Amino acid sequence: YVKIDVGNQYDFINNLCSASWRNSDGLLYCLSKQDDPQGFAVVIQSPMVENGLIDDGQALIMQPQQVTDGKITGRYNPIIVPGGHLRTIVGCMYGYKLCKVKMGITYSVDGGPDLPLDDSNEWYDGFTNKFDTNLSKMGLEGKSVAFTFYVVADHGPTGDEVFWLDPKISP
């Protein structure tokens, strides 16, 4: 492992390709191509989310492998956690009416087991969910932590494009 000191914040989108991206069959390329049936993780500006609103920021867009109960994971290299909160807003992309997934973030301290940080069952219901985890209160400040973003389909092989709005660790 390489330990990376990130200062007082960490932007997961700006470090997209420091993550190891996988589906059920193995490694995926970074940067992926949107609509790759093997699954993908891409960044887009000003996404339209399931409630029909356009966010003025950027989003990490993920789609699991297009097989029944497909998945995709992105495990980021360990960082020294600056403290503060890991925040993002999650949901299905606009128009993906068949979207039904479990999406979440796990963490691993010093190469230990993956532990749940936050998760959500998402479906195309017109609502988004907020993740806001206080990493300092969890005792993670100053520790070497690897974060993993994941999406697992909860049905057939298509229609599961999701977003993470501006996922960051910040004060």
Side-chain angles (χ1 to χ4, degrees):
Y1 285 99
V2 174
K3 292 183 181 178
I4 301 170
D5 186 353
V6 297
N8 68 350
Q9 72 174 13
Y10 184 79
D11 186 324
F12 290 96
I13 287 178
N14 288 343
N15 292 284
L16 182 70
C17 289
S18 77
S20 175
W21 295 94
R22 296 182 162 276
N23 65 19
S24 298
D25 295 332
L27 287 172
L28 299 170
Y29 289 104
C30 186
L31 293 166
S32 307
K33 291 184 180 175
Q34 197 164 0
D35 297 323
D36 186 335
Q38 294 304 309
F40 64 83
V42 298
V43 175
I44 65 170
Q45 299 295 321
S46 304
M48 181 180 283
V49 299
E50 70 182 275
N51 58 14
L53 298 176
I54 297 175
D55 186 82
D56 62 358
Q58 53 185 352
L60 168 59
I61 308 300
M62 291 171 63
Q63 184 178 74
Q65 185 178 15
Q66 292 184 7
V67 296
T68 299
D69 301 327
K71 69 178 182 177
I72 185 170
T73 63
R75 184 177 185 87
Y76 284 80
N77 288 328
I79 61 169
I80 303 301
V81 173
H85 294 250
L86 193 157
R87 294 180 179 102
T88 187
I89 296 172
V90 301
C92 297
M93 288 295 290
Y94 183 78
Y96 283 81
K97 295 180 180 178
L98 297 178
C99 181
K100 186 178 180 194
V101 300
K102 181 170 186 171
M103 57 191 299
I105 304 170
T106 64
Y107 70 100
S108 169
V109 178
D110 293 325
D114 282 347
L115 302 169
L117 185 73
D118 211 339
D119 64 29
S120 181
N121 291 312
E122 292 296 321
W123 62 93
Y124 197 83
D125 60 359
F127 296 99
T128 60
N129 284 301
K130 185 178 187 178
F131 289 4
D132 186 351
T133 304
N134 187 326
L135 302 176
S136 298
K137 284 189 177 179
M138 292 180 65
L140 298 177
E141 186 171 350
K143 294 193 175 165
S144 176
V145 179
F147 293 94
T148 301
F149 286 61
Y150 68 87
V151 178
V152 179
D154 187 22
H155 65 102
T158 60
D160 294 316
E161 193 166 300
V162 300
F163 64 87
W164 312 77
L165 292 178
D166 294 316
K168 291 180 181 158
I169 298 172
S170 60

